[in-house]
Amino acid sequence: MRSLAILLPLLAVACSKEPPASTGAPSATAPAPATPVASPRASSLPTDHFATAKGDLAVTPLQHASVLFEWHGQTIYVDPTTQAVADAALPKADVVFITDIHPDHLDPPALERIRKPGMLVVGPPAVADKTHVDTVMKNGDTRNVGDLVATAVPMYNLKRGPEAGKLYHDKGRGDGYELDFGGTHVYLSGDTECTPEMKALEKIDVAFVCMNLPYTMPPSEAAECVAAFKPKVLFPYHYRGSDLAELDRGLADKGIEVRKRAWYPPSP
């Protein structure tokens, strides 16, 4: 891992959703997750390390829904935003996965900030309508992306929306992702409620699951979904303003390790 510190933004940013008015493949058993170690970048953002068949997988939370993976000589970002990648010392990207069209997930200036020659952008068709995407993935698609295998998992609202008859996230528009890092499977939910597709996931080693209202689901519902597919390790993310104690109560005695990380800058 590189030893340069992330300079977190000084001001918290409001959740960049549209305002209410406008709106996996089974795998062989993966090695057990390793114990997290403190990040050389910032003590408030520990980097977790997981064993894979192709070496160490380093996982660094950045901000809100932005995650950095470093594995097998590749740097992989999910939903980078301008503030999340504000530190020029962060590595440039080999692969970027984008889940949805909302600005807290699709941020073209952030893509330019981390761009290097040969960078691959992966996203659903709705994202490809708004920015260049190298690998377009519809819900259910599986693709080889660099050295990993990615499967697009549906992410959508079942009942919540800005008004009657409308949903914040329509089925088919966005992608959650199951990423196979050499036999270690990582799931990132994107913005979703507790869908049948999430409950049906199998053999997930590490999961990132959203939980905030009104756009996705409360931590209590997220706990129901997580208890159904039973990842070994859960990182709650995209939880701005949520009470994570609800998650703890919902997952008590379920045998799932919950790792809470500092996804949001402290208030000034």
Side-chain angles (χ1 to χ4, degrees):
M1 293 290 300
R2 298 163 181 82
S3 59
L4 297 174
I6 293 178
L7 302 177
L8 291 175
L10 296 178
L11 298 176
V13 180
C15 181
S16 305
K17 288 283 181 285
E18 73 279 308
S22 70
T23 23
S27 69
T29 301
T35 302
V37 299
S39 171
R41 292 199 177 92
S43 59
S44 63
L45 289 178
T47 292
D48 291 73
H49 293 263
F50 299 90
T52 83
K54 293 184 177 180
D56 179 69
L57 170 63
V59 181
T60 304
L62 295 176
Q63 192 178 88
H64 188 55
S66 301
V67 189
L68 167 63
F69 298 99
E70 292 168 287
W71 174 75
H72 204 233
Q74 293 186 309
T75 299
I76 300 119
Y77 287 88
V78 179
D79 287 343
T81 61
T82 301
Q83 288 206 335
V85 297
D87 184 3
L90 281 169
K92 301 301 184 183
D94 294 293
V95 181
V96 178
F97 288 90
I98 301 173
T99 62
D100 196 25
I101 60 175
H102 294 159
D104 56 335
H105 303 278
L106 171 58
D107 185 343
L111 295 177
E112 294 310 308
R113 184 181 294 271
I114 59 175
R115 183 178 297 279
K116 73 176 183 180
M119 183 181 85
L120 297 176
V121 177
V122 182
V127 169
D129 289 340
K130 295 182 175 295
T131 194
H132 174 76
V133 172
D134 299 285
T135 302
V136 178
M137 295 184 66
K138 298 179 182 178
N139 289 176
D141 285 350
T142 297
R143 298 280 188 274
N144 291 316
V145 181
D147 289 330
L148 59 83
V149 179
T151 298
V153 181
M155 48 148 279
Y156 57 96
N157 286 101
L158 295 165
K159 58 185 178 182
R160 294 181 174 94
E163 59 187 74
K166 291 186 179 181
L167 298 172
Y168 288 120
H169 306 88
D170 294 313
K171 187 174 183 178
R173 189 185 78 195
D175 289 335
Y177 295 101
E178 180 180 341
L179 305 180
D180 179 354
F181 292 96
T184 296
H185 284 236
V186 177
Y187 167 64
L188 300 107
S189 73
D191 286 5
T192 187
E193 291 183 48
C194 182
T195 64
E197 291 89 350
M198 190 193 299
K199 287 183 175 180
L201 291 167
E202 297 181 349
K203 299 181 180 178
I204 299 297
D205 297 290
V206 181
F208 293 79
V209 176
C210 66
M211 49 194 80
N212 72 318
L213 293 176
Y215 306 103
T216 63
M217 58 183 163
S220 57
E221 288 184 21
E224 291 179 25
C225 248
V226 171
F229 72 90
K230 295 180 174 64
K232 294 177 182 176
V233 175
L234 169 69
F235 290 91
Y237 83 147
H238 197 293
Y239 60 77
R240 189 189 303 276
S242 296
D243 180 6
L244 296 187
E246 295 179 22
L247 180 73
D248 294 334
R249 289 191 291 271
L251 292 178
D253 302 320
K254 301 297 184 184
I256 297 166
E257 181 184 352
V258 179
R259 298 188 185 179
K260 298 174 184 176
R261 299 297 181 246
W263 294 90
Y264 299 98
S267 299

